[in-house]
Amino acid sequence: MAPKKKKELDQDERFQAIVLTDSFFSRFMPLTAVTPRCLLPLANVPLIEYTLEFLAKAGVNEVYVMCSSHADQIQKYIDSSKWTHSSSPFTITTVMSLEARSVGDTMRDLDNRGLITGDFLLVSGDTVTNIDFSAAMAFHRRKKQHDKEHILTMILTPASPYHRTRSQIDSAAFVLDRNTDRCIYYHSVPPPNLPQTSVGLDPDLLEDVDELILRNDLIDCHIDICTPLVPQIFQDNFDYQLLRSDFVKGVLTSDLVKKTVYAYLTNGEEYAARVTSFLTYDAVAQDVISRWCYPVVPEVNLMPSHSYSYQFNHIYKEDKVILAQSCKIGNCTAIGNGTEILDGSSVSRSTIGRNCKIGKNVSITDSYIWDGVEIADNCVIHKSILAYNVTVHSDAEIVGSVVGHHVTVGRGRRLAVNSRLVETPIERESAGLDSFSDDERDQEVSPSVAVVVNDIDVVGVDGVGHLYVSEFEENDSEDSDSEFENTGSTDKMGTKMYQSFKLLNISDDSIASVSNKKRRRKTRRFSSNSVMSTDFERGELSEEEEDFAKEAVDTVTRSIENNHDLDTALLELNTLRMSMNVSYHEVRAATVEALTRRIGHFISTGTLGSKEATVKVFKSWGPLFNRQLFEPKDQVDLLMLLQSTCASGGYGGGFDGQVVLFWAIRTLYDDDIVEEDRILQWWNSEESAASADIRGATVRFIEWLQEAEEESD
Amino acid sequence: MEFHAFILCGPGKGLSPFSQQRSSGQPKALLPVANRPMIEGVLDWCEMAFFPKVTLIVNDDSEHQISLELDEYKRKLAAANKAKQTADESSPYTTDFSILNLETDFSGYVLYHLYKSGIHPYHNFVVLPCDFVTNLPPQVFIEAYRNKSDKDVGLLVHYRNTLDIEDKKTKIFPTNYTFYGESKDDDSTKLLDIYSAEDVEFHKTLKIRTQMTWRYPNTIISKKLLNSGIFFGSGDIFTIFAANPNRYTEAYFLCRPLTKIIRDLARRSWRHSKLQETIAFLIIPDIATFYRINNTPVLMEANRSVLQQQAIQKSQSGVLPAAREKNAANVGIDSLIGDNSVLGERTNVKMTVIGKNCKIGKRVRLTGSLVMDNVVIDDDVSLENCIVGSDVIIHSKSKLTNCNVEAMHEVVNGSHFKGETLLSLSLEGIVENGMETATSEEDSSGSDDESDDYDDDVEYDDNADGLFDY
């Protein structure tokens, strides 16, 4: 491929990075209704700054920021940021990808624009990391030399499976080749608190691998080194929506693409996390403040205007902070410029933005207070997020809640745990797609989000704000309450935070799972070859098998009724089998089912007797099995299926399972579809012997077979 | 820590036609490695381990022969001990050897027997196959078992094949998907699950349970590990059995090989909401030699490796072969000739083991072969890479390459065979699946016609101890 070579030459000159600012999830609602996710402040710094800092260190020359939701805000932010200065290590360009409805769309848009010239770095705009990128790049180059088909290196960080920065909603298992780190398979795993399922691995994928390693303890921050082929593959497979469960899984399991994906595991000391939910927001913010991500710490002052300095006990303060003498500042706290904290108040394990006014005797613990917040006297803020310019009147208590921009909480109010407040009701139906595309999923499921206008009940007479409720959240609230009580008692600092924010997290995963479920039913838009990343239903696999069983039975029945030729029927069945990805066992089961039904039909309508019907159907359609039986044990399997189908009965009056079974086997035997050895093997199997009564009519036949065999020997 | 050792003397499915799969065969445990029954190697190993009690598990067919062999072994042992004792005054340590007849097709039943009869007075037991060969001292295994965590109720040992045998279609070494991982509590390796390749092939999928990925987030799945059949267990296993009497019934044990039961225990460890007792897992290091003689290519290789060591020893010790007469048979230092065997003139023996009471004619060439007892080979026969069962007669000018010749067989004049298994004609060939019939010791002549399909059948379920038979 000549053009590809040219691109590889270019690669040394420029190194491009693509920043995805939109995750197309609604997990930060209602905050993301106003502010895009990548501009949410984490330790008082917009998230995207962490990502751009990483890119600067990684030696990127060109950065393209892909914007879809709140694109105007992002563009405005980038244009005024330090990265546009002449001293910036890279050129930065915002790309308006307003029509994108998924990461897949963004990638296709990228391909259409032809921006990519070589291998590039793909990150999302909510990544906080200090990994040594050069090692990852070296790994990528090395693998590329050995493996021409290598298109993607995923950078993954080992951690414990229950690590707090590891999003359990998106938890996934990677199957890697132990020797080469090649990724063999990717599959999402249900969170530990939900019913567990199993993941089926196609043995064909494992053919040339001796030792696999199965890991469910990797933090996947979606930091990928891609070759230019990646956007093209997205282009070719227009149904790919998600980077991992569609693209990676699709590439790995596809018979056509034949490309490889490698996983680079960082050494355990490096930090990488993505802010994907309230839970991870909390975890990552605490990590940054507790200096786990060194050198990415607040006093580095990623924002040019910031002036944080570090003090003992992980306390960070800007220059002009006014603290009353009697206020207490506990550990792991950051306080922004112009903020005033009055007498008797205490703050610990929290961040407070700029120009906040904290009254007297206020207690703030484990909370995130953004810029311009005013909190009056005697308030208690615990495990909550207070967005820009929130006002809290005196004696209010906010625990485990998210308070949206410009909301005012009235005097003496106590917010219910896990409430989310917004300033103005969010009009889902009328809202333009553009303004809310971060919540695009919800729109598909509309009207899944209902806004209840009960502001006075919640925020009080002197308050401004509305409760933001999504219907599934309501259903869930009882569970989450009890969970809170059970788990909230833990007293260790890290786990306490974790448990409390887990509340918010629960509603997150309910959003994900419910909306997925609904979407599945509504449209097959996401019906690429993968299962949705957050599909937790236990019956999920069998659902597909059921679908197959039904459709396959219909196919065979149709063929019989319309008297198609065998080849057509086989072709249809095979297509169905491959599209649904089921085993031949299911195909056989469906065929047996269809044939038995046909026999039942003949008998119940009185057209033919049991014997005649069976012989007729199996004579003409039994040869279908010729292409469904490959190994001796398949024949045994078929016989067993026949037996159980006949035993189940229920095919109308006069259907005699014993007779049908006997004549079916007899016909199959006469036509050399099953061999006598297999019949005997089936007969002697325990499974078959278990339901002996159905075998009545077949006994003589078996005896005859055995005799015939002895004679012939 | 004292163990009651159990040695399973199985039928030797993979060693047909030399094992008792065929009426002419010997018990697997008695097949020769360098003219010693293979069980002696295992018994020696048990001696090294100082197991106070060793029980050989046999079945009706093999009981008589094995008990004879055991008596013989005890006699030799006593003699050796006596000799040692005179030199060294330390008190002799005696192992109590016994034989137990358990008529069962599946090794799992042994566990049931232990469960019911108890292993008193010892708290630990070890189950060994009768066919393993290793240079790794038993103390290594015992030490690994002693270091197990409190949660472990047993230790299963696996190994990687280090023998250089071409294994087309993975028939010699069956593929299993062995799952193992490190426990986060105590950094020790645990067995998590085992699937056989046939099972995966049948379902066209390798199932990975997500529950396991949460318990053991860093799991290794190996296709190259082989089951050593060695299992160290503690009496706690029986407590588990006793606690679930509905699950662990006699029928459960009757139709399962031992490994499957251990696999079930391993699965049990992570599939419950609370972590349950685990099975520790040991992989024999690659530098050690370990293999199991459970099929004919390995039997061949086992004999050869003994010969190789013998050759190295002899050449190092500098013992030159005694000057021989001009026409006398030439026996390489890498060969072994049993007692009372006679070799004719100009016969050349290389890399070959010849059993007792054999008559080898003139100008015979034996290369890389294994010839068992009482074999008669006429003049001008050439054997290369062949295993010849006992009491076989090979008539002159025959040329066999890569062949297995069943005991009692008679190879006619001038036969030429390559890669065949020559079976004696007997009644059992008629019966499905080689089920044992009345022992027909009929010698047959001119049975050169192959019963191929029979052979196929044997290979079909050719996985060691029938581990994963369905």
Side-chain angles (χ1 to χ4, degrees):
Chain A
M1 278 212 314
K4 197 181 160 199
K5 252 190 186 153
K6 193 173 153 271
K7 277 172 191 163
E8 272 169 6
L9 284 177
D10 286 345
Q11 174 187 296
D12 288 334
E13 295 156 28
R14 340 190 257 176
F15 183 37
Q16 299 172 312
I18 306 297
V19 180
L20 304 172
T21 60
D22 202 332
S23 66
F24 305 97
F25 279 100
S26 63
R27 294 181 185 153
F28 277 110
M29 280 306 278
L31 299 180
T32 42
V34 183
T35 313
R37 188 196 280 196
C38 68
L39 295 184
L40 298 180
L42 182 99
N44 295 337
V45 176
L47 268 174
I48 197 167
E49 287 294 329
Y50 295 99
T51 310
L52 294 175
E53 184 67 23
F54 162 65
L55 294 180
K57 284 199 185 119
V60 171
N61 311 112
E62 288 177 21
V63 175
Y64 294 95
V65 182
M66 307 299 291
C67 313
S68 29
S69 73
H70 303 294
D72 46 339
Q73 281 188 48
I74 298 172
Q75 189 173 28
K76 212 170 124 197
Y77 178 84
I78 297 287
D79 286 348
S80 60
S81 75
K82 65 173 175 179
W83 304 107
T84 50
H85 297 174
S86 55
S87 62
S88 165
F90 47 69
T91 59
I92 188 162
T93 316
T94 44
V95 179
M96 293 297 176
S97 178
L98 300 177
E99 268 84 63
R101 293 285 165 273
S102 70
V103 175
D105 288 345
T106 314
M107 295 304 282
R108 285 182 275 278
D109 191 35
L110 191 66
D111 190 50
N112 289 337
R113 289 170 196 256
L115 294 169
I116 299 302
T117 57
D119 286 6
F120 63 97
L121 180 58
L122 181 69
V123 291
S124 50
D126 49 15
T127 311
V128 179
T129 179
N130 64 357
I131 58 168
D132 176 12
F133 181 71
S134 57
M137 194 65 197
F139 174 89
H140 175 75
R141 295 221 169 99
R142 204 165 59 237
K143 289 299 171 195
K144 219 174 149 184
Q145 266 175 5
H146 289 268
D147 187 347
K148 290 260 176 293
E149 306 299 334
H150 177 206
I151 55 161
L152 181 78
T153 301
M154 302 180 283
I155 301 180
L156 308 171
T157 316
S160 122
Y162 300 98
H163 196 278
R164 57 182 177 158
T165 58
R166 189 171 185 261
S167 168
Q168 295 191 355
I169 316 167
D170 298 327
S171 56
F174 291 84
V175 181
L176 309 177
D177 182 334
R178 199 182 180 198
N179 300 319
T180 63
D181 285 333
R182 185 161 70 87
C183 186
I184 310 288
Y185 198 64
Y186 169 92
H187 203 287
S188 56
V189 168
N193 53 340
L194 289 173
Q196 298 295 306
T197 56
S198 69
V199 175
L201 210 55
D202 187 343
D204 293 347
L205 293 173
L206 314 176
E207 240 163 38
D208 47 351
V209 191
D210 288 343
E211 281 197 312
L212 305 163
I213 186 153
L214 168 68
R215 301 201 62 155
N216 185 26
D217 59 348
L218 300 174
I219 298 178
D220 178 11
C221 294
H222 294 211
I223 305 174
D224 295 338
I225 308 171
C226 310
T227 63
L229 271 173
V230 173
Q232 284 174 30
I233 292 171
F234 267 104
Q235 191 77 275
D236 296 343
N237 298 277
F238 54 87
D239 54 343
Y240 285 179
Q241 304 289 330
L242 304 169
L243 203 52
R244 287 287 184 262
S245 27
D246 286 338
F247 176 74
V248 170
K249 202 177 163 191
V251 166
L252 292 177
T253 51
S254 166
D255 294 337
L256 301 169
V257 183
K258 298 258 180 245
K259 298 291 174 195
T260 55
V261 174
Y262 283 83
Y264 170 76
L265 304 186
T266 62
N267 73 40
E269 284 147 36
E270 289 168 328
Y271 186 87
R274 253 188 91 195
V275 178
T276 53
S277 62
F278 287 119
L279 173 69
T280 42
Y281 177 87
D282 171 49
V284 175
Q286 281 302 318
D287 285 344
V288 168
I289 287 180
S290 334
R291 311 178 80 77
W292 287 107
C293 193
Y294 188 84
V296 181
V297 286
E299 82 262 24
V300 170
N301 291 317
L302 292 176
M303 303 293 283
S305 61
H306 280 183
S307 56
Y308 282 99
S309 59
Y310 176 61
Q311 293 172 6
F312 184 66
N313 266 344
H314 302 326
I315 294 170
Y316 306 83
K317 277 193 296 209
E318 277 205 89
D319 288 346
K320 291 173 186 160
V321 177
I322 303 159
L323 299 179
Q325 212 145 46
S326 60
C327 78
K328 287 182 213 148
I329 306 298
N331 59 355
C332 299
T333 302
I335 302 173
N337 209 351
T339 289
E340 193 180 3
I341 301 179
L342 298 183
D343 294 316
S345 292
S346 66
V347 181
S348 64
R349 298 182 301 277
S350 301
T351 66
I352 299 176
R354 293 184 154 194
N355 303 318
C356 294
K357 288 193 167 46
I358 314 289
K360 292 176 186 168
N361 301 319
V362 174
S363 158
I364 299 175
T365 45
D366 303 314
S367 295
Y368 301 90
I369 316 276
W370 296 3
D371 295 354
V373 173
E374 289 184 23
I375 302 174
D377 300 348
N378 304 324
C379 286
V380 176
I381 316 285
H382 180 58
K383 292 173 182 168
S384 298
I385 297 175
L386 271 57
Y388 295 123
N389 303 319
V390 166
T391 308
V392 183
H393 288 308
S394 57
D395 305 309
E397 195 178 310
I398 301 175
V399 175
S401 297
V402 175
V403 183
H405 307 68
H406 300 286
V407 167
T408 303
V409 179
R411 164 189 282 272
R413 301 306 306 178
R414 287 177 155 225
L415 290 192
V417 169
N418 197 20
S419 44
R420 303 185 194 190
L421 299 184
V422 284
E423 185 196 11
T424 47
I426 298 169
E427 296 290 338
R428 310 301 309 178
E429 303 305 319
S430 59
L433 281 175
D434 291 345
S435 53
F436 290 120
S437 89
D438 207 355
D439 317 307
E440 180 249 345
R441 283 171 178 239
D442 283 357
Q443 272 156 6
E444 271 183 37
V445 196
S446 63
S448 67
V449 180
V451 171
V452 186
V453 189
N454 55 354
D455 44 348
I456 290 173
D457 291 348
V458 179
V459 295
V461 273
D462 49 348
V464 179
H466 299 264
L467 197 58
Y468 170 89
V469 188
S470 37
E471 58 185 42
F472 26 78
E473 208 175 315
E474 280 183 325
N475 303 336
D476 244 31
S477 57
E478 276 175 37
D479 299 345
S480 38
D481 277 344
S482 60
E483 175 117 354
F484 179 56
E485 275 156 21
N486 292 341
T487 53
S489 58
T490 331
D491 219 42
K492 280 186 218 150
M493 181 193 151
T495 47
K496 190 169 60 181
M497 296 282 291
Y498 171 94
Q499 301 294 9
S500 164
F501 274 82
K502 204 169 178 179
L503 287 180
L504 298 167
N505 188 41
I506 280 167
S507 49
D508 276 342
D509 59 39
S510 65
I511 291 174
S513 61
V514 174
S515 56
N516 280 337
K517 223 188 293 177
K518 287 198 176 166
R519 189 179 49 247
R520 278 178 77 82
R521 283 182 202 136
K522 251 177 99 170
T523 66
R524 284 193 77 90
R525 212 188 129 179
F526 278 68
S527 67
S528 59
N529 53 354
S530 68
V531 179
M532 282 303 304
S533 65
T534 40
D535 228 313
F536 311 134
E537 300 109 294
R538 184 188 264 278
E540 200 272 329
L541 261 175
S542 61
E543 202 174 275
E544 189 147 279
E545 279 163 17
E546 256 174 46
D547 281 356
F548 172 80
K550 195 173 165 297
E551 286 196 38
V553 170
D554 288 351
T555 305
V556 179
T557 314
R558 212 167 39 239
S559 298
I560 298 176
E561 278 168 3
N562 302 341
N563 211 7
H564 287 165
D565 59 59
L566 273 174
D567 285 339
T568 316
L570 275 170
L571 188 70
E572 279 185 27
L573 264 183
N574 215 21
T575 317
L576 204 58
R577 178 185 69 84
M578 288 196 279
S579 67
M580 301 270 199
N581 197 15
V582 294
S583 70
Y584 275 106
H585 171 80
E586 269 80 37
V587 182
R588 288 192 289 269
T591 316
V592 167
E593 170 83 354
L595 297 191
T596 323
R597 275 196 202 171
R598 188 71 185 160
I599 296 166
H601 171 75
F602 278 137
I603 299 169
S604 60
T605 54
T607 324
L608 293 166
S610 290
K611 175 190 161 184
E612 289 79 3
T614 314
V615 173
K616 181 181 153 72
V617 170
F618 274 83
K619 262 277 180 266
S620 39
W621 296 98
L624 277 177
F625 292 115
N626 270 332
R627 298 270 293 275
Q628 301 174 7
L629 304 169
F630 303 94
E631 285 165 60
K633 56 182 175 246
D634 292 353
Q635 298 182 12
V636 181
D637 180 52
L638 169 65
L639 292 168
M640 202 53 232
L641 280 169
L642 263 176
Q643 182 183 350
S644 51
T645 313
C646 291
S648 67
Y651 297 101
F655 182 89
D656 188 345
Q658 287 194 20
V659 177
V660 172
L661 179 65
F662 163 60
W663 283 105
I665 294 173
R666 178 77 200 265
T667 316
L668 290 174
Y669 173 71
D670 288 342
D671 288 344
D672 289 333
I673 294 164
V674 293
E675 298 153 26
E676 58 181 27
D677 286 359
R678 302 306 147 211
I679 297 179
L680 292 174
Q681 197 181 333
W682 156 75
W683 185 260
N684 292 326
S685 71
E686 279 179 25
E687 210 184 336
S688 165
S691 56
D693 35 351
I694 192 70
R695 315 200 304 175
T698 320
V699 174
R700 300 264 316 267
F701 178 61
I702 297 290
E703 279 169 10
W704 175 80
L705 270 182
Q706 279 165 338
E707 269 168 37
E709 189 186 47
E710 269 163 37
E711 274 165 28
S712 70
D713 279 336
Chain B
M1 198 174 266
E2 293 194 314
F3 296 88
H4 186 171
F6 294 88
I7 304 175
L8 307 181
C9 302
K13 275 187 191 163
L15 287 165
S16 174
F18 306 108
S19 66
Q20 280 186 323
Q21 288 298 107
R22 303 278 295 174
S23 57
S24 66
Q26 314 180 40
K28 169 188 181 180
L30 302 185
L31 287 173
V33 176
N35 285 342
R36 283 181 84 203
M38 62 166 90
I39 185 98
E40 287 197 6
V42 178
L43 293 171
D44 283 348
W45 193 84
C46 290
E47 274 290 297
M48 273 164 75
F50 300 111
F51 293 139
K53 200 168 174 193
V54 176
T55 305
L56 280 68
I57 310 283
V58 297
N59 59 20
D60 288 342
D61 298 326
S62 58
E63 182 173 13
H64 180 65
Q65 279 171 285
I66 289 181
S67 65
L68 285 181
E69 157 60 26
L70 186 64
D71 292 342
E72 170 75 12
Y73 180 79
K74 279 188 201 159
R75 203 178 46 73
K76 274 195 242 170
L77 197 68
N81 273 344
K82 219 175 171 185
K84 224 194 267 171
Q85 219 180 333
T86 50
D88 174 13
E89 277 305 308
S90 65
S91 64
Y93 183 86
T94 48
T95 305
D96 173 13
F97 291 103
S98 60
I99 278 190
L100 178 70
N101 184 348
L102 273 186
E103 190 61 48
T104 169
D105 287 337
F106 290 98
S107 49
Y109 192 65
V110 176
L111 214 54
Y112 184 73
H113 172 79
L114 298 186
Y115 167 37
K116 282 297 163 198
S117 63
I119 47 170
H120 193 74
Y122 314 107
H123 188 63
N124 300 293
F125 64 92
V126 54
V127 180
L128 301 164
C130 66
D131 58 2
F132 74 94
V133 175
T134 183
N135 62 0
L136 205 61
Q139 279 69 27
V140 175
F141 296 84
I142 294 171
E143 202 53 35
Y145 179 72
R146 284 158 71 105
N147 285 335
K148 76 183 173 67
S149 73
D150 295 343
K151 273 279 200 181
D152 293 336
V153 291
L155 170 79
L156 187 69
V157 183
H158 269 56
Y159 69 105
R160 289 191 184 87
N161 174 38
T162 47
L163 294 176
D164 186 22
I165 302 180
E166 196 190 1
D167 187 11
K168 278 184 209 155
K169 297 180 199 160
T170 63
K171 266 185 182 159
I172 303 174
F173 304 111
T175 309
N176 288 324
Y177 294 87
T178 313
F179 293 55
Y180 62 97
E182 268 186 14
S183 156
K184 46 190 181 295
D185 303 330
D186 54 15
D187 292 342
S188 64
T189 312
K190 310 281 185 220
L191 175 75
L192 302 179
D193 210 341
I194 302 175
Y195 285 101
S196 72
E198 284 115 78
D199 186 34
V200 170
E201 199 54 43
F202 179 73
H203 291 105
K204 299 262 183 287
T205 169
L206 176 65
K207 256 194 192 168
I208 296 170
R209 315 206 183 197
T210 52
Q211 177 74 10
M212 186 183 77
T213 67
W214 287 110
R215 293 267 189 249
Y216 294 92
N218 192 346
T219 306
I220 295 165
I221 308 168
S222 176
K223 282 164 74 183
K224 286 287 157 192
L225 288 176
L226 301 168
N227 179 18
S228 73
I230 298 181
F231 177 70
F232 287 80
S234 110
D236 299 339
I237 286 187
F238 307 128
T239 326
I240 299 177
F241 293 160
N244 304 289
N246 294 332
R247 172 160 169 72
Y248 299 103
T249 57
E250 183 168 6
Y252 171 85
F253 292 98
L254 262 178
C255 59
R256 276 179 177 75
L258 181 66
T259 315
K260 239 182 169 174
I261 294 171
I262 297 165
R263 194 266 314 259
D264 286 351
L265 283 171
R267 273 191 193 162
R268 178 180 169 275
S269 70
W270 48 257
R271 70 186 311 163
H272 293 274
S273 53
K274 234 176 71 189
L275 273 180
Q276 307 274 344
E277 290 83 353
T278 47
I279 304 286
F281 189 64
L282 174 72
I283 300 171
I284 291 174
D286 286 346
I287 46 163
T289 308
F290 188 100
Y291 48 88
R292 286 185 65 185
I293 307 170
N294 49 18
N295 53 53
T296 47
V298 181
L299 178 65
M300 197 78 186
E301 204 58 39
N303 277 288
R304 280 184 197 156
S305 70
V306 175
L307 293 179
Q308 262 161 8
Q309 275 166 8
Q310 174 193 321
I312 291 166
Q313 270 172 10
K314 276 192 183 168
S315 60
Q316 276 171 348
S317 62
V319 179
L320 289 169
R324 57 191 175 91
E325 286 173 44
K326 201 182 163 195
N327 288 338
N330 178 22
V331 179
I333 54 167
D334 53 3
S335 295
L336 195 66
I337 314 287
D339 298 341
N340 299 327
S341 286
V342 190
L343 280 75
E345 283 176 14
R346 292 174 202 266
T347 284
N348 201 344
V349 182
K350 275 185 194 159
M351 204 48 169
T352 294
V353 178
I354 299 176
K356 287 180 282 190
N357 305 322
C358 291
K359 287 203 182 73
I360 314 288
K362 297 173 189 166
R363 296 175 298 278
V364 172
R365 298 176 62 85
L366 302 176
T367 315
S369 295
L370 167 61
V371 178
M372 296 186 198
D373 298 348
N374 308 326
V375 172
V376 177
I377 299 179
D378 279 358
D379 300 350
D380 299 303
V381 167
S382 166
L383 297 182
E384 200 182 328
N385 194 24
C386 291
I387 303 180
V388 181
S390 51
D391 302 294
V392 165
I393 301 169
I394 301 178
H395 288 292
S396 57
K397 300 218 166 72
S398 295
K399 189 173 191 299
L400 304 181
T401 314
N402 304 335
C403 288
N404 293 335
V405 187
E406 190 189 347
M408 314 285 184
H409 194 78
E410 198 169 338
V411 181
V412 294
N413 262 1
S415 316
H416 284 240
F417 287 113
K418 235 179 188 175
E420 306 262 10
T421 301
L422 308 181
L423 300 177
S424 308
L425 189 69
S426 65
L427 284 176
E428 67 188 282
I430 296 161
V431 179
E432 179 70 9
N433 272 338
M435 284 196 301
E436 286 289 332
T437 53
T439 40
S440 58
E441 294 292 338
E442 279 180 30
D443 198 1
S444 57
S445 53
S447 65
D448 292 340
D449 51 326
E450 278 289 297
S451 48
D452 257 332
D453 49 353
Y454 175 77
D455 199 23
D456 280 346
D457 256 340
V458 172
E459 276 171 349
Y460 174 64
D461 43 30
D462 168 40
N463 53 16
D465 314 336
L467 262 188
F468 295 103
D469 281 357
Y470 284 93

